[in-house]
Structures are given as structure tokens and as C-alpha cells.
Amino acid sequence: MKGNKIMYTVGFWRRLGAVLLDGLIIGVPLSILSVILFGSNDDQDWFTRSLDVVYEIVVPVFWAGRTIGKRFVGVRIRRLDGEPPGFGTMILRVIVGGLIYAVTFGVALIISVIMVVVREDNRSIHDFIAGTEVVRDEA
């Protein structure tokens, strides 16, 4: 069974495509909205980042592991048992994973990219923290 799961995991380019699409589709409008509401200052950055984190946590929980960008490139996040992620899983993946990337000044992020490229299961540090994998979307 584990061999089947590895066949369906996705690598670096599809994951990057999903992140870039989410940035364009969600991040750019959020940034424009926050500049309109707060002007160009620290409140605007805080507002945009907060809503982005909420998006990254909530949307996959209610949309079976997908964000808009993931849906476009045909991938989704799932727990290792094959189930869609819940709030706890997504908090571990987004917030705890993000904190580790921040505390290591991005070194862990570089290691994660290398892991996605070279590991057979394409899992990164935040996937290990949350017990998730990114797979092709069969729906």
C-alpha cells in the first residue's frame, strides 16, 4: 500500500505552481484590500499575513485538502491515513512549520525544498510535522 501512496505524491514544480497561483489569486487581492484599508504600513502587512494564514488553514479543511492554487494544478494535501486534513493538522503544517522556517532564518525551508526534490515520497519538513503528504487530486 505504501508503494501506491508514493506513486501519487507530487514533487517540487507542482507544489511551487500551487503556491504561486495562490499568491496571485489570493495574495495580490488581499494586499490591494489591505492597502486600501490601512495604507502602506505595518498594519497592512499584519492584516495581509493574518488573512493569508487563515486562508491556508481553513480552505484545505473545508475543501478536502485543496486551496484554489492546488485545485488549478490538480493536487491536494492529505493525512498519511488518506483522510483530508483537519484544523489540528493544518495548524501544525502552517503555523508550526512556518515558525520552524522563521526560527531557522529560512535554512529549514531550503532543506524542505531539497527534501521534496530528492525524497521518494516528496515530503517536506512541514509534511513530517503535520503527518501529511501532497498528492495528485483524483477528484
Side-chain angles (χ1 to χ4, degrees), residues 56-57 61 86-98 129-130:
E56 288 182 44
I57 292 171
V61 170
F87 281 108
T89 301
M90 291 310 298
I91 287 169
L92 286 171
R93 185 177 163 88
V94 175
I95 295 177
V96 176
I129 291 168

Side-chain angles (χ1 to χ4, degrees), residues 46-113:
W46 183 88
F47 177 78
T48 303
R49 289 179 192 174
S50 297
L51 286 182
D52 184 56
V53 167
V54 169
Y55 168 79
E56 288 182 44
I57 292 171
V58 172
V59 172
V61 170
F62 289 105
W63 210 10
R66 300 173 194 95
T67 61
I68 295 170
K70 283 179 177 52
R71 180 70 179 209
F72 270 110
V73 299
V75 302
R76 66 184 174 89
I77 302 163
R78 74 175 181 191
R79 294 186 335 210
L80 292 177
D81 64 5
E83 294 296 316
F87 281 108
T89 301
M90 291 310 298
I91 287 169
L92 286 171
R93 185 177 163 88
V94 175
I95 295 177
V96 176
L99 287 172
I100 288 173
Y101 296 147
V103 167
T104 61
F105 300 102
V107 173
L109 180 61
I110 294 166
I111 292 169
S112 276
V113 169

Side-chain angles (χ1 to χ4, degrees), residues 13-73:
W13 293 111
R14 282 185 119 171
R15 289 171 75 135
L16 178 64
V19 169
L20 292 175
L21 283 171
D22 278 331
L24 288 172
I25 295 167
I26 299 300
V28 171
L30 276 180
S31 294
I32 292 168
L33 176 63
S34 62
V35 167
I36 291 169
L37 293 175
F38 301 104
S40 182
N41 59 37
D42 291 339
D43 289 338
Q44 176 257 334
D45 290 340
W46 183 88
F47 177 78
T48 303
R49 289 179 192 174
S50 297
L51 286 182
D52 184 56
V53 167
V54 169
Y55 168 79
E56 288 182 44
I57 292 171
V58 172
V59 172
V61 170
F62 289 105
W63 210 10
R66 300 173 194 95
T67 61
I68 295 170
K70 283 179 177 52
R71 180 70 179 209
F72 270 110
V73 299

